[in-house]
Amino acid sequence: ETKGHFWSIRYASEEDPSQGIVVATTRPETLFGDVAVAVHAEDERYKHLIGKNVLIPVINRPIPVIADEHADPEKGTGAVKITPAHDFNDYEVGLRHGLKPVVAMNLDTTLNHEAGPYAGMKRFDARKKLVKELEEGGQLVAVEDRVIAVPYCYRSGDVVEPVLLAQWYVKMAPMADPALAAVEPGAPKDKAVRFVPDRYVKTYKQWLEPRRDWCISRQLWWGHQIPVWYVVSETDGQVRDNTPYVVGRTEDEARRRAAEKFGAACVLKQEEDVLDTWFSSALWPFSTQGWPDRTEDLATFYPTDVLITARDIIYFWVARMIFSGLKFLGKAPFHTVYIHGTILDEKGQRMSKSKGNGIDPIEMIEKFGADAVRFALLTLTTEGQDIKLSPVKFEGGRNFANKLWNAVRFVHPHLTAAAPSLDGLELSLADRWILKRCGETLREVEAALEPSALRFSDAAQALYRFTWDDFCSRYLEVRKKDITGEDSPAKRASVTVFRTVLVDLIAMLHPLMPFITEEIREAIGEPVPLVTGAWPAPRAVEFPESDAKIMEGVLSVVEAVRQVRGGYSLPPGQPLSVRVLFDDPGAAAALSPHAWMVSGLERIASLDFEGGKPAFAASALIPGGKVYVPLEGLLDPAAEKVRLEKELERARAFVTTQEGKLKNGKFVSGAPPEVVEAEREKLRTQLDKVAKLTEALADLG
RNA sequence: GGUCGCUUAGCUCAGUUGGUUAGAGUACUUCCUUGACAUGGAAGGGGUCACAAGUUCGAGUCUUGUAGCGACCACCA
């Protein structure tokens, strides 16, 4: 936007010079290219002039007044000069009315013979002189200062001047139609393209649907020269608008064709314009594979699977690859287009060299590690959303890599070289649990990485949780003593299970963290590189619901003990005596054989499941029971009371809302029975909690 | 002007067909250098899901509207 002027100029009527019409323009010098003055058909001010001629000032060339919707009665004077050769909109108006464009300017921005006395003047010199002349002649009605949008060239800084020139075009309708069909539901498999996220189909269609012909010639040095040869011997050795031409894949081919029509002596000159860079890029999926030859590479790599790219390139490149592929090979170049978000800086601004707000990946890799950077970026990649990036975000990736590495380093001396079978080992509940969790994680990762899903963040997070929480914090801690201990069935089982899970884990992590996983693979003596190895297969593991209950029980006891420890700020190293009392004696019987797991996760002096409530004990609830931790000399009844009351308050509040929900007849009759039953179950659980907490408070006195 | 996206904990973001007391990472408070990892472990605090109306037994989730932010495209005689 810059400051400019808005000149109102009077065009006199041809039949009665006292009459006329005033048009407003920001570029008066273009009036030499005028072919009409347009007004709105319903505009009362000008209705009577429609069909009559007015005269262009200075050169007095007559032009018609036409009615066209382009003229907006609200804008300017309501009358607009039409200069098809020097304005995009006017060009369209000219087409609608069958007006022959008049080019009034040369490529060096001097005015041409159409400008009469102004011929040969530079555009802005002409403007200055013309305004003065119009003013003196009384034809300049008004001058208004206003801010106008002027297009500047991003390289030369010059004002861009539209001018009508002959160019090469691709007729789009035959190209666009198959490309549009490719994203419709019923498209044949090899001609179908899916966008992820699918909302980008809309962007894609918006570009193609107008079927606007594509101007492919460019007046540049770099690029593929357009394979058109003019037969210049037919037009005195010059290239003119009427010079015949031939096309060919090579000059020889063009020459043969030209010779057939124009004789062997004809002289050819190749078009100097080059193809639009996107035309060349559109051929990329197959031109890089040897096309037009039917090479092995082409057969192997066309079509490919997934194109990963940014949304601002959907039309420029993606759509053009699709319609070119469909046109030249009859198949879509890929079945899926994954549109990722844009990486922005911390403040949400695009990174740019001029702003200097870029984050150099090489620097980040040096600081955090390549896998850490890659994993962190994948974690941040959710459904095409933009990513506000800052260096601290790579810390999580680095910490994760460190965690995995240290776990392996710890177990490494105990691992046996080859991967033995799980058959014949005495697998504990913990072993079967981690094997089952590993299988669940495999399914999660597979679902997330499906070509139709491509939820990279989900895959990364599933692996993160499994590795950190289940594999390291739970399984490894529980089995630590067995793994590092003397040879025993427990050691053999735990070491083998650890290795088995680790091998699956690094295979799953490999696409996300290729370096550290390959390093680990080598360190544990697995012979086949992950990059060429197989994706893990699901493993059959016995883990019935009863086992799941026991595992939950163990973890809830641990959590209860930790709550007490945390509540009293007791050091983790201080052993605690723990008594767990279940409402159902069967639960105690089921859990007690597996209670050893608790001592892997918490420092325990003793753990039993019977006897009465110990004296001076802090308590915490677990599903279906209570955990007591005697704290003689440490127990603070007042603090304990506060803690329990807070929890009681929460439980009571929930009971109130839950009862309200279940008293609502519409809910009970309207909701599916299983939902209602689930809500009842919740209420029962909370009522039980209220009862237990009330009891615990009463015990405190 | 057209199209699309975003608005959820201090910050950065998940939350897949409407149905646990809305989650994670980070930051914060307290405790801990315990024999893989302090790039670590444990406990805890923190959100009327931008606002308004509607649909529904039930809305962070669906509909409409409003506000703010952002992107792309078009236009600006």
Side-chain angles (χ1 to χ4, degrees):
Chain A
E1 301 221 315
T2 99
K3 278 183 196 162
H5 302 284
F6 200 49
W7 289 277
S8 297
I9 303 165
R10 185 167 176 278
Y11 286 38
S13 165
E14 187 181 28
E15 53 187 50
D16 177 3
S18 68
Q19 296 286 303
I21 193 162
V22 176
V23 302
T25 181
T26 56
R27 294 187 299 155
E29 69 281 6
T30 62
L31 63 78
F32 300 114
D34 285 358
V35 299
V37 169
V39 298
H40 196 271
E42 303 300 319
D43 195 329
E44 293 299 333
R45 291 171 293 179
Y46 305 119
K47 235 177 169 172
H48 64 285
L49 288 169
I50 295 170
K52 305 239 165 83
N53 281 346
V54 294
L55 297 171
I56 297 175
V58 181
I59 55 172
N60 290 322
R61 177 153 52 78
I63 53 173
V65 175
I66 57 170
D68 192 278
E69 62 206 15
H70 175 57
D72 182 348
E74 306 291 317
K75 276 190 185 169
T77 61
V80 57
K81 62 199 258 333
I82 301 300
T83 321
H86 299 287
D87 184 280
F88 294 102
N89 282 311
D90 291 4
Y91 180 73
E92 300 289 331
V93 176
L95 283 184
R96 280 200 287 272
H97 296 270
L99 299 164
K100 193 171 182 299
V102 172
V103 175
M105 208 177 283
N106 298 310
L107 292 183
D108 63 1
T109 74
T110 56
L111 298 181
N112 67 13
H113 63 277
E114 296 288 350
Y118 288 81
M121 288 186 76
K122 289 282 231 177
R123 55 183 169 170
F124 298 130
D125 297 337
R127 176 184 294 180
K128 217 166 158 183
K129 191 175 168 206
L130 177 61
V131 168
K132 200 168 170 225
E133 182 177 343
L134 291 172
E135 193 176 1
E136 286 166 356
Q139 283 170 294
L140 186 65
V141 179
V143 185
E144 189 190 325
D145 288 336
R146 70 152 66 177
V147 175
I148 53 176
V150 178
Y152 287 95
C153 173
Y154 75 103
R155 300 193 86 156
S156 68
D158 252 337
V159 174
V160 175
E161 197 72 43
V163 59
L164 193 62
L165 288 172
Q167 298 288 304
W168 293 96
Y169 281 82
V170 170
K171 191 167 182 55
M172 279 305 295
M175 305 295 279
D177 288 339
L180 284 164
V183 294
E184 293 305 325
K189 208 175 170 206
D190 62 349
K191 291 185 165 74
V193 178
R194 174 211 295 269
F195 277 79
V196 178
D198 62 4
R199 64 173 181 273
Y200 287 111
V201 166
K202 201 160 182 175
T203 308
Y204 172 81
K205 283 186 174 173
Q206 266 167 5
W207 275 108
L208 285 173
E209 269 164 357
R211 297 168 176 83
R212 255 186 107 103
D213 292 339
W214 175 19
C215 176
I216 52 165
S217 46
R218 293 289 183 276
Q219 295 73 49
L220 302 169
W221 273 105
W222 296 105
H224 296 143
Q225 206 170 348
I226 293 177
V228 165
W229 281 264
Y230 295 100
V231 188
V232 289
S233 47
E234 295 292 307
T235 51
D236 311 324
Q238 302 291 313
V239 176
R240 302 226 177 84
D241 283 356
N242 62 344
T243 306
Y245 60 86
V246 291
V247 297
R249 290 178 181 177
T250 62
E251 188 166 353
D252 284 347
E253 191 176 308
R255 200 163 288 288
R256 277 198 304 278
R257 287 183 185 168
E260 280 172 27
K261 273 192 185 170
F262 302 100
C266 69
V267 179
L268 300 187
K269 184 168 190 278
Q270 190 175 359
E271 169 63 67
E272 287 184 351
D273 285 2
V274 299
L275 292 164
D276 178 11
T277 185
W278 295 113
F279 186 98
S280 305
S281 304
L283 311 178
W284 180 84
F286 42 91
S287 66
T288 52
Q289 310 300 332
W291 179 89
D293 297 332
R294 295 275 149 182
T295 62
E296 201 185 321
D297 280 353
L298 186 65
T300 309
F301 298 111
Y302 191 97
T304 182
D305 295 307
V306 180
L307 174 80
I308 300 184
T309 192
R311 60 176 172 258
D312 48 2
I313 215 166
I314 288 174
Y315 180 66
F316 289 132
W317 193 32
V318 179
R320 285 164 177 168
M321 278 196 283
I322 292 171
F323 66 60
S324 301
L326 289 168
K327 168 78 179 172
F328 295 119
L329 290 138
K331 289 178 188 170
F334 27 74
H335 56 71
T336 300
V337 179
Y338 178 77
I339 303 292
H340 57 69
T342 307
I343 306 249
L344 307 170
D345 75 0
E346 221 166 336
K347 293 171 195 152
Q349 295 175 313
R350 283 184 97 93
M351 292 183 183
S352 74
K353 276 185 193 165
S354 53
K355 277 189 216 154
N357 60 345
I359 294 175
D360 183 352
I362 300 296
E363 262 176 50
M364 295 301 111
I365 286 169
E366 278 166 6
K367 193 167 175 196
F368 299 103
D371 282 345
V373 168
R374 185 178 177 126
F375 188 85
L377 286 173
L378 285 165
T379 306
L380 296 169
T381 298
T382 54
E383 273 289 291
Q385 283 309 304
D386 289 351
I387 296 167
K388 288 186 199 168
L389 192 65
S390 62
V392 289
K393 298 208 169 169
F394 296 117
E395 285 175 9
R398 177 200 58 189
N399 296 353
F400 179 61
N402 182 257
K403 185 79 181 176
L404 177 66
W405 182 254
N406 279 303
V408 177
R409 198 181 56 148
F410 175 63
V411 181
H412 186 255
H414 308 282
L415 289 174
T416 45
S421 154
L422 294 172
D423 294 341
L425 293 170
E426 288 178 26
L427 295 187
S428 70
L429 195 145
D431 297 322
R432 287 183 286 109
W433 173 77
I434 196 65
L435 288 165
K436 184 208 64 156
R437 280 291 302 127
C438 185
E440 286 171 354
T441 305
L442 176 63
R443 281 198 298 278
E444 276 180 73
V445 171
E446 284 175 344
L449 295 183
E450 276 290 312
S452 61
L454 299 175
R455 296 191 308 268
F456 298 110
S457 172
D458 283 5
Q461 282 182 39
L463 286 162
Y464 182 98
R465 279 197 308 272
F466 174 71
T467 304
W468 202 300
D469 300 341
D470 294 333
F471 194 46
C472 293
S473 297
R474 295 189 180 133
Y475 182 71
L476 183 52
E477 293 299 332
V478 161
R479 277 302 218 176
K480 195 177 254 179
K481 280 182 193 136
D482 294 322
I483 287 171
T484 56
E486 295 298 308
D487 185 45
S488 69
K491 172 159 182 158
R492 286 193 293 275
S494 54
V495 166
T496 307
V497 167
F498 183 91
R499 183 187 189 105
T500 303
V501 172
L502 179 63
V503 167
D504 281 0
L505 177 59
I506 57 175
M508 288 190 275
L509 271 172
H510 181 259
L512 290 74
M513 307 182 93
F515 299 106
I516 193 173
T517 49
E518 206 69 84
E519 196 77 19
I520 290 169
R521 192 270 311 163
E522 210 176 321
I524 64 173
E526 284 290 320
V528 183
L530 296 169
V531 69
T532 54
W535 183 250
R539 217 174 279 283
V541 190
E542 278 282 302
F543 200 77
E545 187 55 29
S546 53
D547 283 350
K549 271 249 147 43
I550 291 165
M551 194 66 199
E552 278 163 31
V554 168
L555 294 176
S556 64
V557 169
V558 169
E559 199 188 334
V561 175
R562 284 175 177 174
Q563 270 169 13
V564 171
R565 199 186 284 279
Y568 285 90
S569 294
L570 302 173
Q574 180 177 336
L576 298 175
S577 297
V578 177
R579 174 163 295 166
V580 181
L581 297 178
F582 281 107
D583 304 336
D584 169 15
L591 193 129
S592 54
H594 306 283
W596 59 274
M597 285 191 262
V598 174
S599 59
L601 298 168
E602 263 297 301
R603 190 57 82 87
I604 298 294
S606 67
L607 174 60
D608 60 47
F609 295 89
E610 54 195 7
K613 178 188 107 52
F616 307 109
S619 62
L621 301 186
I622 59 171
K626 231 189 259 184
V627 171
Y628 292 100
V629 179
L631 292 174
E632 192 159 8
L634 282 172
L635 188 74
D636 176 356
E640 187 75 359
K641 207 171 165 184
V642 168
R643 197 169 61 86
L644 293 173
E645 267 171 352
K646 203 170 162 188
E647 217 177 321
L648 179 60
E649 201 178 321
R650 246 188 257 176
R652 277 191 174 136
F654 185 63
V655 164
T656 308
T657 61
Q658 208 59 15
E659 276 173 342
K661 202 183 270 186
L662 287 162
K663 267 183 202 150
N664 184 342
K666 284 181 185 166
F667 170 70
V668 178
S669 59
E674 61 271 20
V675 173
V676 177
E677 185 42 45
E679 296 298 322
R680 288 213 169 98
E681 180 58 34
K682 274 185 245 166
L683 177 59
R684 279 194 288 273
T685 307
Q686 288 308 304
L687 284 170
D688 180 60
K689 205 167 171 182
V690 168
K692 284 205 175 72
L693 288 165
T694 310
E695 190 187 298
L697 277 164
D699 289 344
L700 282 172

